[in-house]
Amino acid sequence: MVMIACRADGKPFAICDAPYMGLVACRPAMTPPDPPPPAGVCCDALSHADMKCLGQYKDSPLLPSLRIDLKLALQLLEKCQLPHPAPC
């Protein structure tokens, strides 16, 4: 079963200006032990993201509960060849 989250106005749900489904595509690249390279849809989502906003999640217990490794997550910008913003 696939579910796409939409807002009340019918637009796709976004987190920190990044499309939710794009961020979902990033999950394999942030999951140990042997993550694959990030998918194109992941990199595209990150290119639209407000990275300062996403930085608010760095100390969240949510990431470990989703088996997302913060160190791998922080490497995505470089792997996607995106500019590095100021630290969160």
Side-chain angles (χ1 to χ4, degrees), residues 37-40 42-48 51 72-85:
C42 166
C43 293
D44 186 55
L46 291 178
S47 73
H48 294 94
M51 298 309 290
L72 293 173
L74 294 174
Q75 294 172 4
L76 287 180
L77 291 176
E78 185 175 330
K79 289 179 180 181
C80 290
Q81 301 177 346
L82 297 171
H84 292 262

Side-chain angles (χ1 to χ4, degrees), residues 38-58:
V41 68
C42 166
C43 293
D44 186 55
L46 291 178
S47 73
H48 294 94
D50 175 349
M51 298 309 290
K52 195 166 203 109
C53 172
L54 287 174
Q56 296 174 19
Y57 291 93
K58 72 178 183 177

Side-chain angles (χ1 to χ4, degrees), residues 13-40:
F13 183 69
I15 298 171
C16 298
D17 296 332
Y20 175 75
M21 294 308 291
L23 293 176
V24 168
C26 292
R27 186 167 183 250
M30 300 182 289
T31 305
D34 296 315

